[in-house]
Amino acid sequence: FVGDEAAYLNPEAALETIRPIADYLAKHESVSLLLVGSTAGDITDESTLSLSQARADAVKKTLCDDLGIAESRIHTDPWHISNAGYDDGAAASSNRKVTLISADTELAQNLMNNH
């Protein structure tokens, strides 16, 4: 993702990265996913959580609108990694991502129930 945005750094590469996930979901209709958007930095506030949520929503939009996966199978959640620091930018840039978790796992259930 672009820094401080929910826009893909390279939209074509993002689509090609996400396409195999959609292909898997199309073949395994009982599988649902939790998409956890993330940011990193020294402060956790509403703006960082909002950006994390927007990143998860961007991947959900690609899966559902562009690749045909039912919205009911894709859940989203924001995450922020606190105290990662911005001195060299590496921590922040490495956490501009969305992590996929099977929605049926205990971890996913706990995350979804806590938000």
Side-chain angles (χ1 to χ4, degrees), residues 32 34 100-113:
S32 294
L34 171 63
L100 303 140
I101 303 171
S102 172
D104 295 332
T105 64
E106 184 177 344
L107 172 62
Q109 292 298 312
N110 288 336
L111 287 170
M112 291 187 289
N113 289 332

Side-chain angles (χ1 to χ4, degrees), residues 45-68:
D45 62 13
E46 189 58 38
S47 68
T48 58
L49 293 175
S50 178
L51 177 56
S52 296
Q53 182 66 52
R55 288 176 174 168
D57 290 342
V59 174
K60 179 176 181 173
K61 182 179 185 316
T62 300
L63 281 167
C64 299
D65 295 355
D66 299 335
L67 298 171

Side-chain angles (χ1 to χ4, degrees), residues 17-97:
T17 299
I18 297 168
R19 186 180 310 280
I21 298 161
D23 292 345
Y24 178 87
L25 291 170
K27 292 176 185 171
H28 301 89
E29 294 185 10
S30 64
V31 175
S32 294
L33 293 178
L34 171 63
L35 305 177
V36 181
S38 68
T39 54
D42 298 326
I43 299 170
T44 301
D45 62 13
E46 189 58 38
S47 68
T48 58
L49 293 175
S50 178
L51 177 56
S52 296
Q53 182 66 52
R55 288 176 174 168
D57 290 342
V59 174
K60 179 176 181 173
K61 182 179 185 316
T62 300
L63 281 167
C64 299
D65 295 355
D66 299 335
L67 298 171
I69 302 302
E71 286 189 33
S72 62
R73 296 177 61 198
I74 309 297
H75 309 276
T76 60
D77 202 53
W79 191 259
H80 180 75
I81 299 164
S82 297
N83 301 317
Y86 286 109
D87 291 341
D88 66 5
S93 65
S94 68
N95 284 291
R96 291 181 196 137
K97 62 186 174 186

